[in-house]
Amino acid sequence: MNTASGCWHCGEPLPAGEVVQVTIDGATHPVCCHGCRAAAEWIEQLGLADYYRLRSQPAVRPADPAEAARSRAAWTRPEMARHVVREFGEGSREAIMLIEGVRCSACVWLIERALGALSGVSSVQVNASARRARVVWRKSECSLAQVLETLARTGYRALPLDAAALDDARKRESRAALKGLIVAGFGAMQAMMYASGLYLGAFDGVDTSTRDLLRWFGLLVATPVVFYAARPFFAGAVRSLRARALGMDVPVALAIALIYAASLIEALRGGAEVYFDSVSMFVFFLLVGRYLEMRARHRAGDLSDALARLTPVYAERVGADGALERVGVSELRTGDRVHVGEGSGVPADGALLSARCRVDEALLSGESAPVTKCCGDTLVAGSIVVEGPAQMQVEHVGADTALAGIVALVTRAAAARPRLAQAGERAAAGFVARVLMLAVLTAIGWSLIDPARAFTATLAVLVVSCPCAFALAVPAALTRAIAVLARRGVLVVRPDAIEHLAGITHVVFDKTGTLTDPGLTLDRVEVLRADERENALTLAAALARGSRHPVARALAAAATGRSMQVSDLRAVAGDGLEGVVYGRRLRLGRVDFALGGASLQAGLDDAVVLADDKGVIAAFHLCERLRSGARAAIAALVADGLTLEIASGDAASRVADVAQRLGITQWRARLRPADKLDRLATLRSAGARVMAVGDGINDAPVLAGADVAVALAAGTELAQASSDIVLAGERLDLLAEARGIARETLTILRQNQRWALGYNLLAMPFAALGFVPPWLAAIGMSASSLFVVLNALRIGRQGERSRAAGLVGSKAVA
């Protein structure tokens, strides 16, 4: 960075009078204000002075300290913080925010290391293109206030992830791209006009003074194109070289610099050829390609932006007197009553108080048709009331809503770098090195054959063979696939799962809550001790209220008596619950667990048993319904050639019944989590690629043993699900569709890679032989990159057309 004429930190002009100075690595530098000095000193104190060596653009000038303090205070107010901070695992919290001032990869490097140095911060991920940061910290050691203070001291400002901030960031990016494009377009038109005069004058015997005047005019219009419009290419090249890597911008920046420098020298010494028209057109075509790529990226990738826009800014809160009060969504509290008009968005998660309404949850769950809700049903923030109005009671707000959970999952997936993308980056970097070697060989060859053609041939090789399309092949396809799947209600948490999903051969299902409805019902109670007839269900419900397992929920819901206090409650994975109720140690669950490992009691193998130290108190017999769409999902997976299996901890009779009803021939019952893991290991050792489908929270240890882990989750459980993929709508029928999209993604990804490689291999010989001028090479390279992005946009299009046709057909029938 050249900051000799301005502030060392932010690059702004130095004020007149006394100049503030800062010492970095033993060298003294001028800065424009005390804020920049404080930020620079703080960066050096953290041991991160390398930032100034790595950066390709100046930092943002720090905000006024008083304003920054007010902003941090607003963020840390409970009303604001709960819209940003969410619980993340045991004892940790997570915040996702927009970061103002992120300009290059050095900013990412600085933010990640500055926040990573904070005690208690366990994870920092910064997406430079989206200007978004995800920070996870242990709440016992760190706080949101400390995170924000560290960002401010480093010179960056955090913004909430809402529609206004997203629109602002998107507008700034588009505005900057358009300004560069307009400058390059105007320069290219003018340079071509002057070049036409030179070309035509060559045949008409134009005098030397006129020729030189046209050349100087060409220099005049090409200079802002090179030094302003082409700045992103130079910045990217500098960034790559400082990181000791060969990025896509290196050959492009080298070509631009060589064309401009050679033309300037020729103009100064009155040489035969200048290329101001070529360099202007070259930059213009490159920027056109990048602008179209940006637009396509905005359409394909920023699903989390669209999700963040779903939450309305205002809500109509119902007062004690029944009057409606218009308030900001951040002012809502748990327990508030809210009125949602027809066509309006639901501002928070809560329970419906009205008798009935219909809501559109398409972007949240992938369900294209409106869903009918009855009194007591859950309304999800971001859904649209299409038939109303409706009144609801708020249960979850801000970062605790299902919508916030989906945004968190999508953001985590976007921040991850899948194996395919890393391999593509390594291959592209190697390709750049070969391009530079080929350019050197071309220059040497033409210098020996025809020195007059050496320069243009070398430039054409540098431009035409730049592997931009090859580098875009993987991220363009994966970004589009993640967005398409999320719109269907399939949230990809780890992008590598797309590759693995396409190649699975076996699917292992949990039964309870996965193939069957999570809403079990109590069929009958078999009391085995007469003195406990009145209390049996109440005792069982007391223990069951401490678990989220579907069986426990069914028992808790069936009890209508008084609630009992439980102490020393302990959940044993795969077995049941144990606790002390009024001094009695009780166990609820499998019969062998309830009896403390004693021999099984006849007839209770398929029941949930309550026992104490004296023996069995009661047995609870539950009935379950198949999950909606389970039969269709199983049939689709079987038709796709997959081998299906049920691995359940439930009784053999119930597992066999569900397997028979679904047409699954292979099943295993009474499996503990360790037994399920052993089964997965056996299948994988035999060469199978296994997808495990279950509850992302209760089955987390088992899911971890599969090639692809799929969890069914809803509401606030979304971001807690421990899996590679989450079915946000809890719809099993999405599995076959998701696998189809994964396979389509890999097909298009390979098409993109073959196209990019074939284009480069075909174009390079023609460029090296001098048949391709630099401006035509720029068009070819831009067209190649654009083809890759547009081809990636085909992912999921066939499914969208089919779904749209189905929806139109259903409406016509109705």
Side-chain angles (χ1 to χ4, degrees):
M1 281 299 308
N2 180 16
T3 55
S5 60
C7 174
W8 167 252
H9 181 71
C10 70
E12 293 193 9
L14 297 173
E18 184 181 356
V19 176
V20 181
Q21 295 191 330
V22 65
T23 302
I24 303 292
D25 279 345
T28 301
H29 305 281
V31 291
C32 63
C33 64
H34 291 282
C36 283
R37 183 175 71 177
E41 289 175 345
W42 171 249
I43 290 169
E44 189 186 37
Q45 288 172 20
L46 291 174
L48 302 176
D50 276 349
Y51 162 72
Y52 293 105
R53 177 179 62 82
L54 295 171
R55 65 179 179 168
S56 57
Q57 297 188 50
V60 173
R61 185 173 184 174
D64 177 72
E67 181 185 342
R70 287 193 298 270
S71 177
R72 291 198 301 275
W75 269 76
T76 52
R77 286 172 52 207
E79 297 83 358
M80 183 68 173
R82 65 185 177 178
H83 286 264
V84 179
V85 180
R86 61 182 299 111
E87 298 296 323
F88 184 76
E90 189 69 28
S92 293
R93 287 181 173 173
E94 173 192 50
I96 297 171
M97 59 195 86
L98 289 175
I99 305 295
E100 192 175 67
V102 177
R103 295 186 171 180
C104 63
S105 59
C107 295
V108 174
W109 180 88
L110 177 60
I111 292 170
E112 289 183 344
R113 281 157 181 77
L115 292 180
L118 273 177
S119 175
V121 172
S122 54
S123 174
V124 183
Q125 295 173 314
V126 182
N127 187 323
S129 61
R131 296 177 178 85
R132 197 165 301 169
R134 173 179 173 263
V135 187
V136 179
W137 67 88
R138 293 182 291 278
K139 58 184 177 184
S140 60
E141 301 176 46
C142 189
S143 66
L144 178 62
Q146 291 173 280
V147 171
L148 297 175
E149 182 180 3
T150 301
L151 278 171
R153 293 185 69 176
T154 314
Y156 300 94
R157 180 184 172 207
L159 299 171
L161 192 65
D162 58 16
L166 289 168
D167 285 337
D168 190 44
R170 180 66 58 77
K171 285 176 182 176
R172 280 199 301 271
E173 183 184 10
S174 297
R175 192 181 299 119
L178 274 174
K179 283 195 293 187
L181 190 59
I182 290 170
V183 169
F186 177 80
M189 286 190 298
Q190 293 300 312
M192 279 301 298
M193 184 177 69
Y194 301 136
S196 299
L198 288 174
Y199 298 147
L200 295 173
F203 299 102
D204 296 336
V206 67
D207 61 276
T208 304
S209 60
T210 304
R211 185 200 66 180
D212 290 344
L213 180 64
L214 291 175
R215 286 183 172 182
W216 289 114
F217 280 153
L219 172 64
L220 184 66
V221 296
T223 298
V225 173
V226 171
F227 288 95
Y228 177 76
R231 198 168 45 178
F233 304 109
F234 290 114
V238 170
R239 190 161 58 238
S240 297
L241 294 175
R242 282 178 172 169
R244 297 176 177 85
L246 292 175
M248 301 304 101
D249 290 325
V250 172
V252 173
L254 183 60
I256 295 171
L258 286 175
I259 297 173
Y260 182 79
S263 300
L264 180 60
I265 292 170
E266 289 290 298
L268 290 173
R269 69 183 182 89
E273 293 288 343
V274 292
Y275 307 97
F276 295 123
D277 57 327
S278 294
V279 72
S280 300
M281 289 180 63
F282 177 38
V283 173
F284 175 68
F285 287 130
L286 287 175
L287 289 177
V288 167
R290 289 209 171 180
Y291 181 76
L292 293 174
E293 288 169 20
M294 181 195 72
R295 294 291 301 271
R297 172 168 51 83
H298 287 174
R299 288 179 56 204
D302 285 336
L303 175 73
S304 56
D305 287 11
L307 291 168
R309 297 171 202 276
L310 288 179
T311 304
V313 178
Y314 298 103
E316 292 186 313
R317 185 166 57 193
V318 181
D321 59 352
L324 298 182
E325 177 189 11
R326 188 177 175 85
V327 299
V329 169
S330 60
E331 298 178 58
L332 292 179
R333 306 281 191 282
T334 301
D336 283 351
R337 284 195 304 147
V338 175
H339 173 86
V340 186
E342 187 170 306
S344 299
V346 177
D349 289 359
L352 179 64
L353 300 178
S354 303
R356 180 182 176 277
C357 72
R358 297 186 76 202
V359 295
D360 181 359
E361 299 179 344
L363 198 55
L364 295 166
S365 66
E367 179 59 59
S368 55
V371 180
T372 300
K373 301 284 185 177
C374 299
C375 183
D377 288 348
T378 298
L379 293 181
V380 181
S383 54
I384 307 296
V385 175
V386 294
E387 286 185 16
Q391 280 204 9
M392 61 177 288
Q393 184 167 4
V394 175
E395 295 178 346
H396 300 288
V397 296
D400 294 327
T401 62
L403 178 63
I406 296 174
V407 172
L409 288 177
V410 175
T411 302
R412 286 177 215 162
R417 296 178 69 245
R419 186 191 64 80
L420 283 172
Q422 294 176 31
E425 289 169 6
R426 287 193 297 270
F431 200 91
V432 169
R434 295 183 182 92
V435 166
L436 296 177
M437 290 176 59
L438 179 61
V440 171
L441 293 175
T442 301
I444 294 172
W446 277 109
S447 297
L448 298 175
I449 300 170
D450 184 357
R453 301 180 64 184
F455 185 68
T456 55
T458 303
L459 291 178
V461 169
L462 281 173
V463 176
V464 81
S465 57
C466 178
C468 294
F470 191 84
L472 283 170
V474 174
L478 290 181
T479 300
R480 170 67 180 177
I482 290 171
V484 168
L485 288 169
R487 290 190 181 95
R488 305 282 204 278
V490 181
L491 303 178
V492 179
V493 182
R494 299 178 181 90
D496 280 331
I498 293 178
E499 179 187 7
H500 297 151
L501 180 61
I504 60 166
T505 59
H506 288 63
V507 184
V508 176
F509 290 96
D510 179 45
K511 179 185 69 71
T512 307
T514 302
L515 292 173
T516 60
D517 247 338
L520 294 170
T521 57
L522 181 61
D523 185 29
R524 60 190 175 90
V525 180
E526 185 180 354
V527 179
L528 301 178
R529 294 214 322 239
D531 58 327
E532 299 288 358
R533 184 171 300 278
E534 298 299 326
N535 292 328
L537 183 55
T538 305
L539 291 170
L543 293 176
R545 289 188 180 98
S547 173
R548 300 162 72 184
H549 193 279
V551 170
R553 289 178 179 177
L555 292 175
T560 56
R562 69 187 188 281
S563 178
M564 295 185 177
Q565 190 69 30
V566 181
S567 61
D568 195 21
L569 183 65
R570 183 172 69 97
V572 180
D575 285 327
L577 299 161
E578 181 179 11
V580 177
V581 180
Y582 292 148
R584 297 171 62 187
R585 179 159 294 279
L586 301 174
R587 289 178 296 278
L588 177 71
R590 296 162 53 127
V591 61
D592 53 343
F593 166 74
L595 293 174
S599 58
L600 299 184
Q601 189 163 332
L604 300 182
D605 183 56
D606 61 348
V608 179
V609 174
L610 175 69
D612 59 11
D613 294 336
K614 298 178 184 179
V616 176
I617 297 173
F620 303 93
H621 298 270
L622 303 171
C623 61
E624 52 191 346
R625 299 182 304 273
L626 290 180
R627 181 180 289 276
S628 175
R631 284 193 177 91
I634 297 301
L637 292 173
V638 170
D640 214 13
L642 299 177
T643 302
L644 309 186
E645 182 175 320
I646 301 176
S648 174
D650 208 347
S653 58
R654 287 204 291 265
V655 178
D657 176 61
V658 170
Q660 188 272 329
R661 289 157 67 188
L662 290 173
I664 299 176
T665 57
Q666 300 183 45
W667 55 268
R668 284 169 172 75
R670 286 299 184 191
L671 298 182
R672 290 183 167 84
D675 301 326
K676 295 181 182 179
L677 280 173
D678 289 342
R679 177 57 186 163
L680 294 180
T682 301
L683 289 172
R684 295 178 70 186
S685 64
R689 296 181 182 179
V690 184
M691 175 170 68
V693 186
D695 182 324
I697 298 168
N698 296 319
D699 295 329
V702 179
L703 294 178
D707 294 290
V708 181
V710 179
L712 279 75
T716 56
E717 297 176 352
L718 278 167
Q720 303 170 27
S722 176
S723 63
D724 302 313
I725 295 172
V726 177
L727 300 182
E730 297 187 314
R731 294 170 50 202
L732 286 175
D733 58 304
L734 294 172
L735 285 173
E737 187 177 359
R739 184 166 182 262
I741 290 174
R743 289 190 295 184
E744 183 185 12
T745 300
L746 290 190
T747 299
I748 288 181
L749 187 153
R750 293 186 183 108
Q751 285 177 1
N752 284 345
Q753 289 180 323
R754 285 194 293 268
W755 159 261
L757 189 62
Y759 160 78
N760 281 311
L761 293 177
L762 183 66
M764 277 193 292
F766 288 98
L769 292 172
F771 296 132
V772 182
W775 63 268
L776 184 59
I779 294 177
M781 191 196 73
S782 299
S784 177
S785 300
L786 189 59
F787 171 83
V788 165
V789 175
L790 295 178
N791 192 42
L793 290 177
R794 291 174 47 231
I795 296 173
R797 284 284 172 85
Q798 185 61 43
E800 288 175 357
R801 284 193 290 267
S802 300
R803 287 158 64 90
L807 187 59
V808 170
S810 64
K811 287 181 178 179
V813 171

